[in-house]
Amino acid sequence: MRNALQSYTIHDFSLQRRVEYMMQTARQWRLSILFVISIVAGVAIATFVESAVAAQSKTVWDGVYTEQQAGRGALSFATNCARCHGGTTSDGEDARSLAGERFWKSFRESTVDHLLDYVSRNMPNGAGGSLSASEYADLVAFILSRNAIPPGTSELTKETAVGVQIIAKGGPGELPDGTLVRVVGCLAAKEGGGWILNSATTPERVSSIAGTDDKNRPLGTRSYRLMYVLTPLQRFVGHRMSVRGLLIGEGGRDGINVSVTESLAESCQ
């Protein structure tokens, strides 16, 4: 009886050790898996950040489409777009020209993904969105080529277009007269009547700053005359304000034709 009890005790102890060993092994496996997941996640985040930084610093002058792609775009343009824009992007009416001064006024200081989105939603006239994603990318490649922007070695896609800046060859400049923009600054009453926005940010196209946190956006050093304001602003003097409107003069040198104002904070810090 005593030997049987001793044998049972030894067996029970051995089983307990095996269970403890299995649990310890499982914990080690979990820790190993979590470690691998954290490494993979870290690499993915780093890659994403590097890609975002690279996209922000890339411009159309770095070669964002290929010559072959622009050739396909030319054929697609002749088939789908020439009725409104002429045969070479610049033969149509001035309002519908996609090359030269009209192009630069409409898209300078924006991004290629904004241009691609615009073309995809609006062309062909009355049938926006009817072409494939690759056809729209080809059309944008053709438009870029018609504006003396050189080709590169990789084709343009929806993904590679993100964040690529459309700027003049000489570098970034002021937005042209008549551009719809949003600025943030401090509202003040102008001597002699009217309103002025001080400590204002550099104007940016409305379409390029969707989701911007204007309440925490760093203020700038500019001042803008606010023109044709239809909303009473007396109670907002000293407030941090967001202003949307059309630039009057290049860069807003003669003011902003105001369409929307919004108080972001009662004090302007």
Side-chain angles (χ1 to χ4, degrees):
M1 179 72 179
R2 182 177 179 182
N3 289 337
L5 180 61
Q6 184 177 15
S7 175
Y8 175 80
T9 302
I10 293 173
H11 175 76
D12 184 58
F13 178 74
S14 177
L15 178 61
Q16 181 181 353
R17 290 293 301 273
R18 286 198 297 270
V19 171
E20 289 177 351
Y21 175 76
M22 291 173 65
M23 292 179 64
Q24 182 179 2
T25 302
R27 283 196 296 269
Q28 290 175 342
W29 270 103
R30 284 198 297 269
L31 289 173
S32 298
I33 292 171
L34 289 173
F35 176 75
V36 171
I37 291 174
S38 66
I39 292 296
V40 172
V43 171
I45 292 172
T47 302
F48 175 80
V49 171
E50 288 178 5
S51 298
V53 171
Q56 288 178 351
S57 61
K58 192 170 186 178
T59 77
V60 290
W61 301 102
D62 295 319
V64 296
Y65 70 93
T66 67
E67 189 173 353
Q68 293 78 5
Q69 186 178 25
R72 295 197 306 267
L75 295 175
S76 182
F77 188 90
T79 302
N80 299 290
C81 311
R83 180 170 60 88
C84 294
H85 298 282
T88 63
T89 70
S90 57
D91 293 339
E93 301 173 8
D94 180 61
R96 296 186 175 185
S97 174
L98 294 174
E101 182 180 354
R102 189 75 187 183
F103 169 83
W104 290 105
K105 183 173 182 179
S106 298
F107 296 104
R108 197 182 78 200
E109 312 305 327
S110 66
T111 56
V112 175
D113 54 309
H114 167 62
L115 171 60
L116 179 57
D117 177 68
Y118 176 85
V119 171
S120 300
R121 287 187 293 104
N122 294 283
M123 294 172 63
N125 184 33
S130 61
L131 305 181
S132 68
S134 61
E135 286 177 303
Y136 280 119
D138 292 348
L139 282 173
V140 169
F142 176 58
I143 292 170
L144 294 177
S145 73
R146 292 296 301 167
N147 285 281
I149 295 170
T153 57
S154 298
E155 292 203 348
L156 179 70
T157 66
K158 183 177 180 180
E159 291 72 28
T160 62
V162 175
V164 178
Q165 301 172 62
I166 301 175
I167 60 174
K169 193 170 185 179
E174 296 288 353
L175 287 171
D177 173 57
T179 304
L180 179 62
V181 301
R182 180 164 60 195
V183 296
V184 175
C186 307
L187 182 67
K190 187 174 179 292
E191 186 176 352
W195 307 102
I196 190 168
L197 200 68
N198 292 321
S199 302
T201 58
T202 301
E204 294 182 273
R205 293 182 186 271
V206 168
S207 59
S208 67
I209 53 175
T212 297
D213 183 6
D214 286 342
K215 290 184 179 180
N216 299 307
R217 189 178 174 193
L219 296 175
T221 59
R222 299 194 177 196
S223 293
Y224 299 102
R225 294 167 59 201
L226 303 184
M227 309 294 290
Y228 312 111
V229 180
L230 301 180
T231 305
L233 297 179
Q234 287 83 353
R235 64 192 181 96
F236 298 122
V237 170
H239 285 209
R240 171 188 275 250
M241 300 288 291
S242 171
V243 174
R244 180 181 300 192
L246 301 175
L247 292 179
I248 304 175
E250 189 177 55
R253 65 172 180 267
D254 298 318
I256 298 176
N257 183 349
V258 176
S259 56
V260 179
T261 60
E262 178 185 2
S263 174
L264 303 173
E266 293 184 358
S267 61
C268 199
Q269 301 295 332

